[in-house]
Amino acid sequence: METAPKPGKDVPPKKDKLQTKRKKPRRYWEEETVPTTAGASPGPPRNKKNRELRPQRPKNAYILKKSRISKKPQVPKKPREWKNPESQRGLSGAQDPFPGPAPVPVEVVQKFCRIDKSRKLPHSKAKTRSRLEVAEAKEEETSIKAARSELLLAEEPGFLEGEDGEDTAKICQADIVEAVDIASAAKHFDLNLRQFGPYRLNYSRTGRHLAFGGRRGHVAALDWVTKKLMCEINVMEAVRDIRFLHSEALLAVAQNRWLHIYDNQGIELHCIRRCDRVTRLEFLPFHFLLATASETGFLTYLDVSVGKIVAALNARAGRLDVMSQNPYNAVIHLGHSNGTVSLWSPAMKEPLAKILCHRGGVRAVAVDSTGTYMATSGLDHQLKIFDLRGTYQPLSTRTLPHGAGHPAFSQRGLLVAGMGDVVNIWAGQGKASPPSLEQPYLTHRLSGPVHGLQFCPFEDVLGVGHTGGITSMLVPGAGEPNFDGLESNPYRSRKQRQEWEVKALLEKVPAELICLDPRALAEVDVISLEQGKKEQIERLGYDPQAKAPFQPKPKQKGRSSTASLVKRKRKVMDEEHRDKVRQSLQQQHHKEAKAKPTGARPSALDRFVR
Amino acid sequence: MTANRLAESLLALSQQEELADLPKDYLLSESEDEGDNDGERKHQKLLEAISSLDGKNRRKLAERSEASLKVSEFNVSSEGSGEKLVLADLLEPVKTSSSLATVKKQLSRVKSKKTVELPLNKEEIERIHREVAFNKTAQVLSKWDPVVLKNRQAEQLVFPLEKEEPAIAPIEHVLSGWKARTPLEQEIFNLLHKNKQPVTDPLLTPVEKASLRAMSLEEAKMRRAELQRARALQSYYEAKARREKKIKSKKYHKVVKKGKAKKALKEFEQLRKVNPAAALEELEKIEKARMMERMSLKHQNSGKWAKSKAIMAKYDLEARQAMQEQLSKNKELTQKLQVASESEEEEGGTEDVEELLVPDVVNEVQMNADGPNPWMLRSCTSDTKEAATQEDPEQLPELEAHGVSESEGEERPVAEEEILLREFEERRSLRKRSELSQDAEPAGSQETKDSGSQEVLSELRVLSQKLKENHQSRKQKASSEGTIPQVQREEPAPEEEEPLLLQRPERVQTLEELEELGKEECFQNKELPRPVLEGQQSERTPNNRPDAPKEKKKKEQMIDLQNLLTTQSPSVKSLAVPTIEELLSLVSSQEDEEERNHRQMIKEAFAGDDVIRDFLKEKREAVEASKPKDVDLTLPGWGEWGGVGLKPSAKKRRRFLIKAPEGPPRKDKNLPNVIINEKRNIHAAAHQVRVLPYPFTHHWQFERTIQTPIGSTWNTQRAFQKLTTPKVVTKPGHIINPIKAEDVGYRSSSRSDLSVIQRNPKRITTRHKKQLKKCSVD
């Protein structure tokens, strides 16, 4: 690991994203395993392009990792953090030049704030208000702490940038391999397996292991970094899909007839006959659910931790062979031949939503890791990117000559799709932006038609399964550079894996919690609440939370006569009544305004119309 | 005599009777005597009865005058003594004895005491006891209220309660035991010593020491005492002032005011004698005050008080007087200064024409010259300046015709204005000098300066009018609007003619109003030539503008499904930038690809419409299914004919149809290509909160408190620990004693209890208070 960068360093940044004029295209390829020189100085902010000429550097200069500290003028979050400098004076009289805790950039803190303050709360009592204040203070404190810990995410994603006007899509794999270090170059390889037909492949969650299955029964699993083969078998049956379960020790293979589960030695552990004629497999890691889509039109959820089928849902749309999962909310997306994509949860018998995406059938679906974008490709040769945040509208559309197959998103939002024997990769502007389909970021031609595509997690590697075997491509900037060592550690030992397995099982999320908006679970069930209230009122015969009728306060000096009391009471009553009337009038106006047709205006000549 | 006789006869009678009675006991059988005797006795009785009719003798009858055999114990009379029988007298023995005195005393004491009331019944006694006990306990316990509240609100409670003092030794002690050993330390200490930096005990530099020594303790004490005294005096004075201020008596205030005035006058007199210059200054101040009053017009009949007095004046002499006083004061205050009025009169007298020409403006200018009123001065000049700037473009050609060439720039309007004023002055002074019928002379004198005086005169007239108008309008508005935009607005229309010019001020007003309406509009208005048009435009624009985006929005909201799917998306030509051999291979496969494409295109063209229609149908069905159903309660045949083919009447159906309440709008209302399932996920709802916890009244409030995740997956380790701290922490192996007064800083004596109560009297509830009061009464 590299040391934390010193913010005060005055060395000009060694690497930047400028596009200086040069003879040869500059390619920057970064690999997090590459040991880099310590003390990388923070570069200029990413959004600003430095147009200044820099001294020439060797062509194959490695990218140094950027620190995450923003170089923007860091405004202290709260002025009170700055303590009185006098109190900071030490014994010797020396003064701390930077008193108080280090300032945290506000934008970073904002990222961790989860309380939705846009919604205005109704008037609350003092006690409630104090509770709310405590909650907000806690949120602020924790988000500041989280923002501070961003400093520990020292790794920077890689990128590839062409020279002025140069298209990055023209850069072929050989160039990249030539430019990067040996360790990274070793990640590009081809497996020539022409015998057993087109291959489907799957990386384990840590990104360390690779499993692939050929149409003609060839199943193998290997540690692809060290190229150590774990198992290799032939199941003597057509293999439709292959998927790792929660760890690399278990492997689900959708075979011609039934679903089989193997361990990493290639020993068949289970044959699940309730899942027959499975075409596609998806594994939901936090729920320990294996979702299978079958030719019979059933979507089956299998809980692999207890070996029980949680739900078998009939999609009523014929053969299912297009499936993907939304990693954000664990909703399964199924593509159908009538151009719709349906969203499923095991808790509901009907789809959560149905989206009409294409005029022809849907060929393939993919959802990005943040659950924001969905890429669909249809038989109408279109590739569309949909916004999944409530609107479900296409953000961009592109017609491709052959259409696109097997789209997949990388962790950092790159989109890959195979067109025949060509693989196209599109990139967005930033991390949160959808990939723009204008210009491909990278292209690669393979020896046969593509049959399976997946980006390797935490690596800038794309695995392509095709008729000629398996190809591992280098795609700079595809993988997330910082991994959570407790969650999915590529370097974990067996012991660590076992520990993690136990913890993950303890934290297993119940299957019925899968819904479109996972944050809705943190909301009060309003319907039950209202129901309960109604029942209580019925039981008691009165509303215990009803507003007490207005009781005028007794006043002194003879102003508390019965008449005045009654008058005051009446005043309040009238005011309330007026409020009610006003509200109802407003509602009426609202309704009328809505009901009124906006387009046709009554004209004076209408009276002559017969 | 008669009485004596009567008594004797009676005596005799009784004697006879006795005598007659005596043998009766002995001689029972003497019958002849008996009858005689009997008749006599009767007679006697009769006599007695008659005599007893007289009131005087009635009581004497009861008297036992003679000892007899039969003494009635009930007929004891106390005739002889004539006083009531006292109980003590019964005790009176023949001879007095001392032993009876104590009994007497006791007897008297018993008499003096009142009767003892019945004791209360047991329940009541117990209740009173309980109340008293409750009050006492409540008092004692109320000191715990703040502690309880604090503990309830505390994030975390740690038991056992006793706090250990953090054993932090003072830095001096630490330092004293520490010696510099390493060479680096020694070097540092050398440096410190060189700079006279204290290293050990007192930790004060010599300078600080000196500053400490600058003031001795006694001195400080004295100063403090002085300050305290001053503060106390001040507070007394303030209290006094406040009290006096609160006095409502009008008379008192009148007296005070008068006294003050008198005092001031006296002082002024004295000052005049001693220091005339200062007195002058004082006078000026008084004058200024007068001006202020005049300006504010406080003493007119328009105030609330004055109005009320006016009503009263009809009937109340006093009110009438007060009103008159006020009016006189008003007159006094609003009287114009002598100098100004004189000139006015002269003018008015001399020339009727000129009055039209130069009425107020000149006066005001003069006043400016006289009175020390900077505010008036400034406003006037600024007004004139504005006017000048407005008139500037029109004046220009004329001025040029006169051959007066002035430098363009910022100062020009002001200079021009000044020239104008000077001209006025000159004219006035000339007029003064020449008194009557000297119209020709000033004109002639003016001709020396300007080429054509008549022209100038007419010009001046117009100008002065405009000035006046401008001034008035400005004054009315008294709005501090920037002059610059005004000027800008004026400038684009310099070609306008004279008659239009005169309408100017009004138009300016409208324009100003426009400006207030909306700043952006004024930019538009600038380009438009006609002010009327401008007004219309400005009226129209605010109506039009918000409309346009609204319509746009509405259009945007409803997206056409057909468009959505049939939009022509740009197709990519060069996908994988192919190398030459790849190109060759592409060409070979191009033909069959095209064929395939064609076939697919046809297929899609036919399939596409179906897809959309099917989807829309499906959506319609879903919407229908999710709508709440109406309830029809009509009973066919009830109250009318029923049977096959007969339907209940529409009226009846309408009457018995219970319409279902309209549900919330569907989420996919505006999304034609989406069907969102509105059904509730019951399984997930089972995991949701369904009861609001105590202090929350609305579910939004509660939701806000649970929006932040507390798990370690989403938080740093420290934050996680802090968010999940247990509410109560106990030390294992320690005895947790109940809380004591000492633990929370109270002393356990009774005095401390009282002090606690006094400190927070609000803690005691009203009920407690009532009970306390009752106790004190008891």
Side-chain angles (χ1 to χ4, degrees):
Chain A
M1 292 302 288
E2 57 184 315
T3 56
K6 291 169 193 167
K9 233 175 178 183
D10 230 340
V11 181
K14 278 188 185 164
K15 125 222 82 151
D16 47 3
K17 288 186 185 177
L18 33 140
Q19 298 165 348
T20 51
K21 292 197 175 151
R22 238 177 259 167
K23 290 276 159 64
K24 275 213 163 184
R26 274 178 54 204
R27 279 139 216 166
Y28 292 111
W29 158 245
E30 182 243 5
E31 190 49 62
E32 54 275 355
T33 49
V34 177
T36 50
T37 52
S41 62
R46 244 173 275 170
N47 52 358
K48 247 193 191 169
K49 287 237 168 171
N50 208 341
R51 290 267 161 209
E52 187 181 356
L53 271 172
R54 296 273 168 202
Q56 291 250 335
R57 269 178 292 131
K59 187 181 123 197
N60 291 348
Y62 302 130
I63 293 164
L64 305 183
K65 280 147 202 167
K66 262 188 200 169
S67 82
R68 290 227 164 200
I69 305 165
S70 73
K71 279 294 274 184
K72 285 171 191 165
Q74 292 175 345
V75 187
K77 185 93 183 33
K78 280 174 280 173
R80 66 180 160 84
E81 276 184 14
W82 296 99
K83 282 175 192 159
N84 187 13
E86 289 307 310
S87 63
Q88 298 283 315
R89 199 180 283 274
L91 241 192
S92 60
Q95 215 172 320
D96 185 3
F98 306 107
V104 192
V106 180
E107 315 89 65
V108 185
V109 175
Q110 273 305 319
K111 197 171 73 180
F112 294 102
C113 286
R114 289 182 180 93
I115 290 181
D116 176 24
K117 277 167 190 155
S118 61
R119 189 186 260 173
K120 201 164 172 286
L121 292 184
H123 176 74
S124 33
K125 292 180 290 183
K127 209 168 203 174
T128 320
R129 230 177 297 135
S130 73
R131 285 279 195 96
L132 290 172
E133 274 160 19
V134 165
E136 266 162 41
K138 265 185 184 167
E139 186 218 20
E140 194 183 344
E141 197 187 341
T142 51
S143 52
I144 283 174
K145 272 182 181 149
R148 276 190 204 294
S149 66
E150 284 266 279
L151 188 74
L152 302 173
L153 306 178
E155 308 291 333
E156 272 292 297
F159 57 88
L160 175 74
E161 260 185 22
E163 200 189 293
D164 237 6
E166 198 211 4
D167 194 359
T168 47
K170 277 180 189 161
I171 299 166
C172 55
Q173 285 291 306
D175 287 341
I176 294 173
V177 169
E178 194 187 330
V180 298
D181 59 308
I182 298 170
S184 303
K187 285 170 185 170
H188 171 67
F189 60 87
D190 271 307
L191 299 180
N192 282 319
L193 308 160
R194 301 207 159 270
Q195 203 178 347
F196 295 110
Y199 278 89
R200 299 270 311 164
L201 80 169
N202 181 233
Y203 286 100
S204 67
R205 279 199 73 224
T206 56
R208 189 64 190 254
H209 301 273
L210 172 68
F212 49 88
R215 168 80 58 77
R216 294 183 192 116
H218 178 213
V219 170
L222 74 158
D223 182 345
W224 68 272
V225 180
T226 57
K227 315 284 191 302
K228 200 180 123 201
L229 190 68
M230 294 197 304
C231 68
E232 187 172 21
I233 49 172
N234 199 321
V235 297
M236 308 299 286
E237 208 178 1
V239 169
R240 254 65 166 280
D241 202 359
I242 187 164
R243 197 130 306 233
F244 274 115
L245 297 190
H246 56 277
S247 73
E248 57 270 15
L250 291 171
L251 198 61
V253 181
Q255 293 178 18
N256 194 27
R257 210 53 208 288
W258 293 309
L259 174 69
H260 292 258
I261 289 177
Y262 298 90
D263 75 347
N264 56 358
Q265 319 257 301
I267 301 165
E268 184 184 316
L269 299 177
H270 301 289
C271 168
I272 298 155
R273 289 182 192 169
R274 285 195 61 188
C275 304
D276 59 335
R277 304 202 172 276
V278 173
T279 52
R280 284 284 177 272
L281 292 171
E282 277 294 343
F283 185 71
L284 310 175
F286 298 104
H287 304 78
F288 285 86
L289 289 179
L290 182 70
T292 60
S294 68
E295 277 178 355
T296 54
F298 274 90
L299 169 66
T300 313
Y301 286 90
L302 173 70
D303 190 333
V304 298
S305 62
V306 291
K308 226 172 77 181
I309 285 179
V310 172
L313 310 169
N314 190 353
R316 292 200 189 84
R319 185 177 192 268
L320 301 175
D321 58 349
V322 179
M323 176 161 78
S324 83
Q325 65 160 312
N326 185 341
Y328 170 65
N329 52 14
V331 165
I332 293 289
H333 292 223
L334 293 178
H336 304 295
S337 57
N338 60 355
T340 57
V341 169
S342 54
L343 278 55
W344 294 85
S345 138
M348 299 274 277
K349 290 280 175 212
E350 295 97 37
L352 300 173
K354 260 190 181 181
I355 311 156
L356 181 61
C357 296
H358 293 279
R359 302 193 66 182
V362 178
R363 266 179 80 184
V365 180
V367 185
D368 85 322
S369 60
T370 60
T372 318
Y373 307 112
M374 172 175 76
T376 62
S377 79
L379 288 174
D380 53 356
H381 292 187
Q382 282 190 331
L383 180 65
K384 288 183 180 181
I385 292 178
F386 281 82
D387 190 355
L388 286 183
R389 291 168 295 189
T391 60
Y392 304 103
Q393 297 305 317
L395 296 171
S396 52
T397 309
R398 193 96 186 158
T399 306
L400 303 164
H402 305 291
H406 315 286
F409 277 100
S410 85
Q411 280 177 327
R412 282 178 47 78
L414 303 190
L415 175 65
V416 67
M419 277 141 284
D421 56 351
V422 176
V423 164
N424 259 29
I425 300 163
W426 293 277
Q429 259 69 44
K431 208 204 162 190
S433 65
S436 63
L437 302 178
E438 299 295 314
Q439 273 288 319
Y441 174 59
L442 269 180
T443 54
H444 186 59
R445 182 172 286 276
L446 303 154
S447 53
V450 176
H451 197 63
L453 281 170
Q454 198 193 356
F455 280 103
C456 179
F458 307 112
E459 295 277 1
D460 288 346
V461 167
L462 169 68
V464 187
H466 49 92
T467 44
I470 300 286
T471 303
S472 175
M473 270 176 69
L474 295 186
V475 184
E480 181 65 39
N482 298 292
F483 58 84
D484 184 349
L486 296 172
E487 189 55 43
S488 47
N489 186 358
Y491 307 109
R492 69 184 174 195
S493 62
R494 209 178 64 179
K495 201 82 191 155
Q496 279 173 324
R497 194 194 72 208
Q498 286 162 355
E499 287 270 327
W500 167 85
E501 204 170 348
V502 171
K503 275 183 191 162
L505 277 168
L506 287 174
E507 288 174 358
K508 190 181 103 172
V509 184
E512 63 258 29
L513 289 186
I514 296 174
C515 52
L516 270 184
D517 181 15
R519 289 197 68 78
L521 292 171
E523 282 168 8
V524 176
D525 184 11
V526 182
I527 295 169
S528 308
L529 186 73
E530 298 285 318
Q531 186 69 25
K533 244 186 217 168
K534 221 180 269 171
E535 274 166 16
Q536 192 192 22
I537 290 167
E538 243 164 55
R539 205 171 51 238
L540 293 174
Y542 70 98
D543 187 5
Q545 274 144 15
K547 212 176 121 194
F550 173 72
Q551 196 61 43
K553 271 184 199 164
K555 289 195 175 173
Q556 286 182 336
K557 293 186 180 173
R559 276 178 295 166
S560 198
S561 71
T562 319
S564 77
L565 283 186
V566 169
K567 240 186 241 168
R568 267 188 279 159
K569 246 188 201 174
R570 179 148 294 283
K571 239 190 215 171
V572 173
M573 247 167 62
D574 285 349
E575 188 55 45
E576 277 168 5
H577 184 68
R578 248 173 267 144
D579 272 350
K580 245 183 226 168
V581 169
R582 220 171 281 146
Q583 266 183 5
S584 71
L585 271 180
Q586 254 178 9
Q587 270 182 358
Q588 245 178 18
H589 279 299
H590 209 63
K591 257 186 199 168
E592 276 173 23
K594 264 190 181 173
K596 232 182 217 170
T598 50
R601 259 186 150 190
S603 112
L605 297 175
D606 281 351
R607 72 190 75 171
F608 302 113
V609 174
R610 285 230 146 190
Chain B
M1 278 296 282
T2 53
N4 275 345
R5 235 190 310 148
L6 221 158
E8 274 172 4
S9 69
L10 274 174
L11 256 176
L13 260 179
S14 62
Q15 275 169 358
Q16 273 179 356
E17 206 178 53
E18 300 299 336
L19 282 173
D21 281 347
L22 268 175
K24 212 165 117 186
D25 298 336
Y26 299 102
L27 309 165
L28 289 168
S29 59
E30 279 188 356
S31 55
E32 59 264 50
D33 274 354
E34 251 190 337
D36 208 345
N37 265 347
D38 217 43
E40 255 191 27
R41 210 188 293 162
K42 277 177 182 169
H43 185 238
Q44 197 79 47
K45 266 188 183 170
L46 183 71
L47 280 179
E48 267 176 45
I50 290 163
S51 65
S52 71
L53 285 175
D54 187 22
K56 274 180 190 173
N57 301 334
R58 210 188 287 171
R59 285 183 71 189
K60 283 178 186 167
L61 274 179
E63 184 180 346
R64 191 173 55 180
S65 55
E66 203 178 299
S68 65
L69 273 178
K70 280 176 105 180
V71 179
S72 168
E73 51 182 325
F74 301 115
N75 243 354
V76 179
S77 77
S78 54
E79 190 59 32
S81 59
E83 52 193 28
K84 255 191 158 180
L85 182 77
V86 186
L87 203 59
D89 291 348
L90 292 176
L91 290 168
E92 204 93 31
V94 186
K95 54 170 185 165
T96 55
S97 71
S98 60
S99 64
L100 279 175
T102 53
V103 181
K104 239 196 244 174
K105 245 186 221 168
Q106 277 173 353
L107 260 177
S108 67
R109 212 181 292 155
V110 165
K111 261 172 79 180
S112 73
K113 260 191 188 164
K114 275 186 179 172
T115 48
V116 179
E117 278 175 32
L118 269 178
L120 288 172
N121 53 356
K122 204 177 161 194
E123 287 85 49
E124 273 184 50
I125 291 169
E126 274 177 352
R127 191 194 302 148
I128 289 165
H129 280 308
R130 279 202 304 271
E131 260 175 34
V132 171
F134 171 80
N135 287 338
K136 270 187 189 163
T137 346
Q139 228 178 22
V140 173
L141 282 183
S142 68
K143 77 169 177 181
W144 291 100
D145 287 353
V147 179
V148 170
L149 195 73
K150 209 180 105 195
N151 280 358
R152 270 189 197 153
Q153 288 173 346
E155 294 264 293
Q156 190 182 41
L157 292 175
V158 182
F159 295 110
L161 275 176
E162 75 259 5
K163 291 168 228 154
E164 306 115 53
E165 287 299 313
I168 296 170
I171 200 79
E172 288 90 345
H173 292 297
V174 176
L175 273 180
S176 60
W178 189 74
K179 285 254 167 57
R181 285 188 204 94
T182 61
L184 178 67
E185 284 169 358
Q186 276 164 359
E187 212 168 299
I188 287 167
F189 269 73
N190 277 339
L191 264 175
L192 286 177
H193 283 306
K194 241 183 236 169
N195 295 335
K196 287 182 185 172
Q197 198 74 26
V199 184
T200 52
D201 205 17
L203 277 173
L204 292 172
T205 54
V207 184
E208 283 168 337
K209 271 182 204 161
S211 70
L212 266 185
R213 248 183 272 120
M215 194 185 283
S216 72
L217 189 63
E218 288 85 51
E219 225 175 303
K221 269 185 182 168
M222 272 186 33
R223 184 166 300 175
R224 189 159 158 267
E226 251 170 54
L227 278 173
Q228 268 177 340
R229 191 165 162 271
R231 231 175 290 139
L233 280 176
Q234 194 185 352
S235 75
Y236 295 154
Y237 185 77
E238 272 172 8
K240 194 186 169 198
R242 220 170 285 139
R243 182 167 47 78
E244 277 178 354
K245 200 182 157 196
K246 264 191 186 167
I247 294 174
K248 278 182 180 167
S249 160
K250 280 177 187 169
K251 201 170 177 188
Y252 167 78
H253 281 292
K254 226 180 255 173
V255 169
V256 166
K257 228 184 241 174
K258 251 181 202 169
K260 265 184 194 167
K262 250 182 206 172
K263 204 177 167 190
L265 209 69
K266 219 180 247 174
E267 271 174 10
F268 181 68
E269 288 293 319
Q270 237 172 16
L271 201 69
R272 208 173 59 171
K273 273 174 202 164
V274 180
N275 190 359
L280 254 177
E281 243 170 58
E282 198 81 348
L283 201 66
E284 219 157 85
K285 260 187 211 165
I286 291 167
E287 184 67 8
K288 216 176 207 173
R290 195 194 70 84
M291 274 172 161
M292 291 292 277
E293 284 226 36
R294 216 190 131 187
M295 252 156 52
S296 64
L297 291 179
K298 234 182 184 173
H299 296 275
Q300 260 182 339
N301 268 351
S302 55
K304 212 182 193 178
W305 176 85
K307 272 175 190 164
S308 72
K309 283 286 159 194
I311 293 166
M312 296 277 287
K314 242 184 204 173
Y315 316 104
D316 195 356
L317 194 76
E318 225 170 293
R320 209 178 303 161
Q321 265 177 354
M323 245 184 75
Q324 268 161 5
E325 223 168 88
Q326 162 108 341
L327 279 177
S328 66
K329 196 155 200 184
N330 177 33
K331 230 174 233 172
E332 190 190 310
L333 287 172
T334 50
Q335 219 174 22
K336 279 181 186 171
L337 282 181
Q338 286 297 308
V339 201
S341 61
E342 265 179 325
S343 67
E344 185 125 285
E345 272 169 20
E346 269 181 18
E347 263 186 12
T350 48
E351 281 188 20
D352 303 356
V353 191
E354 285 304 308
E355 218 176 63
L356 233 175
L357 229 170
V358 258
D360 270 1
V361 183
V362 182
N363 275 338
E364 272 166 17
V365 170
Q366 271 211 337
M367 266 185 57
N368 291 343
D370 292 345
N373 194 342
W375 180 76
M376 294 276 278
L377 190 82
R378 203 190 47 197
S379 77
C380 203
T381 48
S382 67
D383 280 346
T384 48
K385 211 190 278 179
E386 276 175 29
T389 47
Q390 282 170 21
E391 259 58 86
D392 208 24
E394 285 84 38
Q395 238 185 5
L396 242 174
E398 286 180 0
L399 282 173
E400 276 171 358
H402 296 315
V404 184
S405 63
E406 280 166 354
S407 63
E408 300 259 333
E410 292 275 305
E411 296 85 20
R412 201 196 49 195
V414 185
E416 220 174 75
E417 188 55 44
E418 273 171 1
I419 286 167
L420 253 166
L421 288 173
R422 223 178 293 140
E423 279 170 12
F424 278 127
E425 295 268 22
E426 276 170 2
R427 281 169 70 92
R428 273 163 36 78
S429 60
L430 274 171
R431 239 174 277 133
K432 264 185 208 167
R433 252 181 275 143
S434 58
E435 298 275 6
L436 286 165
S437 71
Q438 244 114 61
D439 258 333
E441 237 190 22
S445 66
Q446 288 239 328
E447 267 178 321
T448 52
K449 282 183 183 175
D450 297 297
S451 53
S453 74
Q454 289 304 314
E455 281 172 310
V456 171
L457 208 132
S458 66
E459 191 190 308
L460 278 176
R461 190 177 297 168
V462 172
L463 273 178
S464 68
Q465 262 181 359
K466 266 186 275 173
L467 272 174
K468 190 179 152 194
E469 277 172 10
N470 243 337
H471 191 79
Q472 279 171 352
S473 70
R474 235 15 82 62
K475 250 193 177 171
Q476 278 167 7
K477 286 191 147 192
S479 61
S480 60
E481 289 174 28
T483 57
I484 302 158
Q486 229 178 351
V487 176
Q488 277 182 345
R489 244 178 288 127
E490 293 307 308
E491 245 141 21
E495 294 90 18
E496 282 177 4
E497 289 135 0
E498 280 270 338
L500 263 174
L501 253 172
L502 290 172
Q503 296 166 1
R504 258 287 164 81
E506 278 107 62
R507 250 189 291 136
V508 169
Q509 276 170 15
T510 56
L511 278 176
E512 278 162 1
E513 283 162 13
L514 283 180
E515 193 193 36
E516 281 163 13
L517 272 174
K519 286 247 161 128
E520 0 158 25
E521 288 158 27
C522 87
F523 288 108
Q524 273 199 346
N525 293 346
K526 240 196 283 177
E527 272 90 65
L528 293 165
R530 294 218 142 218
V532 190
L533 267 179
E534 282 167 19
Q536 285 176 351
Q537 182 74 16
S538 67
E539 275 168 20
R540 235 179 291 135
T541 41
N543 293 337
N544 289 344
R545 274 194 190 169
D547 275 4
K550 245 188 216 167
E551 282 169 14
K552 223 179 198 176
K553 231 185 208 169
K554 258 172 204 162
K555 265 180 198 164
E556 273 171 6
Q557 265 184 359
M558 206 51 203
I559 303 148
D560 192 15
L561 190 56
Q562 201 75 29
N563 288 344
L564 194 86
L565 290 173
T566 52
T567 41
Q568 280 304 311
S569 57
S571 57
V572 177
K573 285 279 148 61
S574 63
L575 269 179
V577 184
T579 50
I580 299 163
E581 62 263 33
E582 285 168 353
L583 264 176
L584 283 173
S585 66
L586 263 179
V587 168
S588 64
S589 65
Q590 202 135 30
E591 285 176 15
D592 54 352
E593 262 177 27
E594 264 179 15
E595 204 180 349
R596 241 195 300 157
N597 266 354
H598 191 66
R599 239 186 299 137
Q600 206 148 32
M601 285 282 270
I602 291 164
K603 193 179 149 201
E604 280 161 21
F606 281 106
D609 281 342
D610 251 345
V611 163
I612 292 169
R613 208 187 310 133
D614 287 352
F615 188 81
L616 284 178
K617 196 180 155 202
E618 202 183 334
K619 181 165 183 179
R620 219 175 303 128
E621 277 165 9
V623 170
E624 284 301 316
S626 73
K627 261 187 190 165
K629 303 277 183 303
D630 295 351
V631 184
D632 195 2
L633 292 177
T634 41
L635 293 170
W638 192 260
E640 59 193 0
W641 287 108
V644 181
L646 283 176
K647 267 187 193 170
S649 67
K651 191 182 164 193
K652 198 177 174 189
R653 253 181 293 153
R654 213 184 309 131
R655 201 182 146 196
F656 288 103
L657 188 77
I658 296 172
K659 275 194 177 171
E662 215 173 286
R666 281 182 70 91
K667 277 183 231 161
D668 54 6
K669 208 178 82 186
N670 293 325
L671 308 169
N673 66 328
V674 186
I675 306 169
I676 296 175
N677 199 343
E678 300 269 292
K679 263 187 198 160
R680 206 154 73 98
N681 185 352
I682 306 161
H683 301 290
H687 293 266
Q688 280 178 307
V689 179
R690 55 177 66 193
V691 180
L692 274 185
Y694 158 57
F696 302 104
T697 49
H698 197 275
H699 63 270
W700 288 352
Q701 292 165 345
F702 178 60
E703 276 162 19
R704 193 169 272 201
T705 58
I706 56 169
Q707 264 169 355
T708 327
I710 53 171
S712 60
T713 316
W714 299 274
N715 288 306
T716 57
Q717 190 59 27
R718 278 287 173 80
F720 169 67
Q721 276 170 353
K722 192 149 191 218
L723 286 171
T724 56
T725 43
K727 189 100 169 90
V728 176
V729 175
T730 52
K731 265 189 200 167
H734 285 252
I735 298 165
I736 299 170
N737 288 319
I739 195 167
K740 276 179 283 180
E742 289 88 40
D743 291 335
V744 286
Y746 294 141
R747 273 171 293 152
S748 54
S749 72
S750 61
R751 200 175 152 253
S752 78
D753 292 357
L754 266 183
S755 70
V756 167
I757 289 162
Q758 275 161 3
R759 236 184 293 142
N760 44 8
K762 274 184 188 170
R763 290 256 169 260
I764 302 170
T765 57
T766 49
R767 191 162 154 241
H768 289 193
K769 262 185 206 164
K770 256 183 219 163
Q771 279 159 353
L772 276 176
K773 222 183 264 174
K774 222 193 270 171
C775 278
S776 65
V777 168
D778 286 342

